[in-house]
């Protein structure tokens, strides 16, 4: 221990032993919550009042006698023996940070080790005042009116010029080891700090890749850099194979959801840290991420040396996993030492929103119109199966005012627009309207129906940035020509999927479908056979969308 630290500690202990002036009742203590931390009290010395009934197992306490400022004050006070679980007054003294905080089990509280923190505090028995412990924080120790003064909340909006929802996917495998794992966490913390995390700025979460992926915390959990840094420090090393592909796929599918804090219209980004090389296939995971609109960055550290290349499944794994193989989405650091100089360039990339080309996906950037055969040969019960087919496709997409758009036209000899692209902006409304479509019954003029849909449904959205798709479902021979209207639709940039049931001629289906015909034309003998075609149509839309973005 350094002489300077011994002096500071002695001063802290001396302060603890100083008696109160005779006749003084001391200041009125501030009522705090069970989880108020030392860093929340911005005074060199403060009297606080801990409530009773705090759950000991939920305290975060780091150190012994001297505690890291991220520790719970009440937890530290119980650990130190200053108060019991029933609460009471505590005096808090701020102290400088230190290199190591020890782990000690005392008074029913198990404190934890911490390698380093920027500030500390210690606690002694406080002086009772008139204030009762309520568990609600009070903004000042001396209210002038006898009422608690409300503290004006600080606006923690963050960097508004860097709006992004970011998942850091860190390497927690045996390949990286405990020491480099800690250096990795330190680097991620620096990146998170420089991003400018806040309510209106970037939000971040953390996933650890190991034998099995683990989401450490979500976007919604923390909206301040201080809390994120602490959460990163708490992450433990898991070990096992890296399985980066498995973790990336899990992140794309499970992490980026509205329930977990994803915001509409904000780019979704995953920054994948790979120490060496992945132990599984990462290419497929990259495809899945792109389909879900996730911009994948790969930060590679310590590339495999020539002698190790034989163990790498695919030496081009970086190029195949990133959002685009254009150099922007890949970043290399030679090792985990001296990484500070790499922080700012990476942050600049993550904040360059115009480069986030994978934010647009087949799920949120398409217009899909359904052309539904309502002719007499279909029948009411089979017509319901057709509507179910349409619903199952529609509900897969992210329908909103800034996302995917759905429209439907029913046709016989005549055509009826059931709803257009601009009528409804929510999935719930769209599905409800589809369920309530009334069966028309009549003849079959598919060619006229295609021309009607191109003109009246796609015409008003011709300037839309979304890619246009038309899904035709019919059960029989058209009484008019379908080739001319279908060709005009293709020329207008509309991709057609044709789905035939029962007596629908294969030639008509191929004439209507976009190229290649074999992947855009489908046929089933029975209406119950429509269900398996749902996934084929969805995959086809996503495939065509991705190809159009290349």
């Amino acid at each position: 221990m350094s002489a300077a630290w011994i002096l500071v500690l002695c001063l802290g202990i001396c302060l603890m032993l100083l008696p109160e002036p005779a006749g003084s009742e001391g200041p009125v203590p501030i009522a705090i919550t069970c989880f108020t931390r030392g860093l929340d009290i911005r005074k060199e010395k403060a009297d606080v009042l801990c409530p009773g009934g705090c759950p000991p197992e939920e305290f975060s306490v780091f150190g012994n006698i001297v505690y890291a400022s991220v520790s719970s004050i009440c937890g530290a006070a119980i650990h130190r023996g200053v108060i019991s679980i029933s609460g009471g007054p505590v005096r808090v003294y701020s102290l400088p940070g230190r290199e190591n905080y020890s782990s000690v089990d005392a008074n029913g509280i198990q404190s934890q080790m911490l390698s380093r923190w920027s500030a500390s505090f210690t606690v002694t028995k406080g002086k009772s005042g008139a204030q009762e412990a309520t568990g609600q924080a009070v903004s000042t120790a001396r209210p002038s009116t006898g009422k608690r003064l409300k503290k004006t909340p600080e606006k923690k909006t963050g960097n508004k010029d860097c709006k992004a929802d970011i998942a850091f996917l860190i390497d927690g495998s045996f390949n990286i080891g405990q020491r480099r794992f800690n250096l990795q966490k330190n680097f991620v913390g620096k990146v998170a700090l420089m991003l400018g995390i806040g309510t209106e700025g970037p939000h971040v979460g953390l996933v650890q890749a190991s034998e099995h992926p683990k989401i450490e915390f979500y976007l919604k959990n923390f909206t301040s850099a201080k809390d994120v840094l602490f959460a990163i420090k708490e992450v433990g090393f898991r070990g096992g194979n890296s399985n980066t592909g498995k973790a990336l796929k899990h992140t794309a599918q499970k992490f980026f959801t509205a329930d977990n804090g994803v915001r509409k219209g904000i780019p979704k980004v995953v920054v994948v840290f790979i120490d060496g090389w992945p132990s599984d296939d990462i290419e497929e995971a990259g495809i899945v991420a792109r389909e879900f609109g996730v911009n994948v960055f790969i930060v590679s550290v310590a590339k495999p040396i020539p002698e190790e290349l034989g163990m790498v499944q695919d030496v081009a794994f970086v190029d195949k996993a990133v959002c685009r193989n254009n150099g922007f989405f890949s970043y290399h650091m030679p090792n985990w030492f001296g990484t500070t100089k790499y922080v700012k360039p990476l942050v600049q990339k993550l904040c360059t929103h115009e480069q986030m080309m994978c934010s647009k996906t087949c799920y949120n950037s398409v217009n899909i119109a359904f052309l539904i055969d309502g002719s007499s040969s279909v029948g009411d019960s089979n017509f319901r199966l057709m509507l179910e087919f349409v619903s199952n496709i529609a509900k897969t997409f992210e329908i909103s005012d800034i996302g995917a758009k759905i429209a439907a036209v029913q046709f016989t000899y005549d055509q009826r627009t059931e709803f257009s692209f601009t009528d409804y902006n929510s999935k719930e409304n769209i599905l409800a309207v589809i369920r309530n479509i009334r069966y028309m019954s009549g003849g079959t003029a598919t060619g006229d129906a295609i021309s009607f849909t191109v003109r009246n449904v796609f015409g008003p959205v011709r300037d839309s940035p979304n890619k246009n798709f038309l899904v035709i479902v019919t059960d029989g021979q058209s009484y008019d020509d379908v080739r001319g209207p279908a060709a005009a639709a293709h020329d207008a940039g509309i991709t057609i999927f044709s789905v035939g049931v029962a007596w629908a001629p294969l030639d008509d289906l191929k004439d209507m479908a976009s190229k290649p015909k074999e992947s855009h034309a489908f046929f089933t003998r029975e209406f119950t056979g429509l269900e398996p075609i749902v996934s084929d149509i969805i995959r086809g839309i996503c495939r065509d969308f991705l190809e159009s973005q290349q």
Side-chain angles (χ1 to χ4, degrees):
M1 186 179 290
S2 67
W5 175 249
I6 292 172
L7 178 61
V8 168
L9 186 56
C10 288
L11 285 172
I13 293 172
C14 291
L15 283 169
M16 297 177 214
L17 299 175
L18 285 175
E20 285 292 320
S24 172
E25 295 183 359
V28 176
I30 304 169
I32 63 174
T33 71
C34 302
F35 308 108
T36 301
R37 301 164 297 180
L39 55 81
D40 297 322
I41 304 296
R42 299 182 180 181
K43 296 181 180 180
E44 291 185 6
K45 181 179 72 172
D47 286 284
V48 300
L49 193 60
C50 286
C54 294
E57 68 278 2
E58 294 186 20
F59 282 130
S60 291
V61 178
F62 300 86
N64 180 42
I65 303 176
V66 176
Y67 303 94
S69 62
V70 288
S71 302
S72 159
I73 294 174
C74 298
I78 296 173
H79 183 267
R80 184 79 177 92
V82 169
I83 60 172
S84 69
I85 197 68
S86 60
V90 177
R91 176 160 288 184
V92 185
Y93 296 93
S94 294
L95 297 172
R98 60 186 303 180
E99 291 296 320
N100 290 293
Y101 297 86
S102 58
S103 172
V104 175
D105 188 352
N107 299 308
I109 303 291
Q110 174 66 63
S111 71
Q112 302 174 59
M113 286 192 300
L114 193 62
S115 59
R116 177 185 302 175
W117 198 256
S118 58
S120 310
F121 69 90
T122 191
V123 290
T124 63
K125 185 72 175 176
K127 298 294 181 181
S128 297
Q131 188 82 35
E132 291 296 326
T134 63
Q136 299 297 315
V138 178
S139 62
T140 178
R142 288 186 291 273
S144 58
T145 63
K147 297 181 180 179
R148 295 179 185 175
L149 299 180
K150 290 185 178 180
K151 186 176 181 179
T152 303
E154 295 179 18
K155 289 187 176 180
K156 298 178 181 178
T157 57
N159 181 8
K160 295 181 181 179
D161 295 326
C162 185
K163 286 187 176 181
D165 288 338
I166 303 171
F168 292 110
L169 178 53
I170 61 174
D171 189 343
S173 66
F174 286 138
N175 191 50
I176 191 172
Q178 179 73 63
R179 185 187 182 203
R180 297 202 305 275
F181 179 76
N182 289 335
L183 291 171
Q184 177 186 213
K185 289 200 300 179
N186 187 46
F187 177 76
V188 172
K190 290 177 181 177
V191 173
L193 186 63
M194 185 169 283
L195 280 169
I197 296 166
T199 53
E200 297 181 31
H203 292 181
V204 305
L206 191 73
V207 182
Q208 184 175 174
S210 56
E211 196 67 34
H212 302 287
K214 181 186 178 185
I215 297 175
E216 302 288 354
F217 58 89
Y218 290 100
L219 298 164
K220 66 180 181 181
N221 293 139
F222 308 107
T223 54
S224 75
K226 175 180 66 178
D227 291 334
V228 167
L229 288 176
F230 180 59
I232 292 172
K233 284 180 178 287
E234 282 195 315
V235 172
F237 177 60
R238 293 174 62 80
N241 289 323
S242 60
N243 290 339
T244 309
K246 182 179 180 181
L248 176 56
K249 190 174 181 180
H250 181 77
T251 303
Q253 294 175 324
K254 305 295 183 183
F255 180 91
F256 292 103
T257 67
D259 289 342
N260 294 329
V262 165
R263 297 167 289 177
K264 277 189 176 182
I266 303 294
K268 294 179 286 191
V269 181
V270 57
V271 185
V272 184
F273 292 89
I274 299 179
D275 186 290
W277 59 91
S279 56
D280 63 347
D281 178 29
I282 198 172
E283 181 180 6
E284 181 189 354
I287 294 171
V288 171
R290 289 191 287 276
E291 285 188 355
F292 278 85
V294 179
N295 297 273
V296 179
F297 280 82
I298 300 288
V299 177
S300 56
V301 185
K303 287 181 178 178
I305 59 177
E307 292 78 13
E308 296 171 327
L309 289 177
M311 295 182 285
V312 183
Q313 289 188 24
D314 188 348
V315 293
F317 66 86
V318 172
D319 293 339
K320 293 179 179 179
V322 292
C323 168
R324 289 287 187 278
N325 180 19
N326 58 5
F328 178 80
F329 293 94
S330 55
Y331 198 66
H332 179 69
M333 300 190 299
N335 53 60
W336 289 110
F337 301 95
T339 56
T340 303
K341 62 184 177 182
Y342 298 103
V343 173
K344 187 175 181 180
L346 179 58
V347 169
Q348 288 174 334
K349 281 176 176 278
L350 298 180
C351 293
T352 310
H353 294 165
E354 60 271 18
Q355 295 276 11
M356 301 297 182
M357 292 176 284
C358 287
S359 295
K360 288 188 173 294
T361 73
C362 59
Y363 297 112
N364 65 21
S365 301
V366 293
N367 298 324
I368 306 172
F370 293 93
L371 189 52
I372 307 166
D373 188 344
S375 62
S376 302
S377 58
V378 173
D380 189 69
S381 60
N382 287 332
F383 186 73
R384 294 295 124 193
L385 291 175
M386 293 172 74
L387 295 183
E388 186 177 337
F389 170 75
V390 170
S391 292
N392 287 336
I393 295 174
K395 69 183 181 183
T396 305
F397 294 86
E398 298 174 17
I399 302 166
S400 71
D401 55 342
I402 58 172
K405 305 287 187 184
I406 305 293
V409 173
Q410 185 180 172
F411 72 97
T412 56
Y413 282 138
D414 297 318
Q415 307 85 31
R416 184 171 76 200
T417 302
E418 303 293 351
F419 57 93
S420 68
F421 288 128
T422 56
D423 286 341
Y424 303 102
N425 287 327
S426 78
K427 186 178 299 187
E428 293 75 17
N429 288 340
I430 291 287
L431 296 179
V433 173
I434 292 172
R435 282 194 300 270
N436 292 321
I437 291 176
R438 292 177 293 102
Y439 176 44
M440 289 172 63
S441 187
T444 308
T446 313
D448 280 350
I450 294 172
S451 298
F452 174 88
T453 305
V454 170
R455 182 174 62 253
N456 296 289
V457 176
F458 286 101
V461 295
R462 63 169 57 91
D463 295 325
S464 168
N466 289 2
K467 182 169 175 56
N468 293 322
F469 293 89
L470 175 61
V471 179
I472 303 171
V473 192
T474 180
D475 86 321
Q477 172 82 52
S478 176
Y479 294 147
D480 61 358
D481 174 59
V482 296
R483 286 176 295 179
H490 298 156
D491 291 342
I494 301 168
T495 300
I496 296 180
F497 288 89
S498 58
V499 181
V501 188
W503 307 107
L506 191 57
D507 287 344
D508 276 8
L509 297 177
K510 288 183 176 180
D511 285 341
M512 294 186 290
S514 294
K515 295 179 181 179
K517 303 292 185 178
E518 60 272 13
S519 61
H520 290 82
F522 300 88
F523 177 78
T524 176
R525 286 287 179 194
E526 305 292 337
F527 281 89
T528 52
L530 286 171
E531 184 181 354
I533 299 175
V534 170
S535 58
D536 293 325
I537 299 293
I538 294 168
R539 279 197 298 267
I541 289 172
C542 285
R543 178 197 61 234
D544 292 347
F545 178 86
L546 285 173
E547 289 177 357
S548 73
Q549 301 298 299
Q550 300 299 325

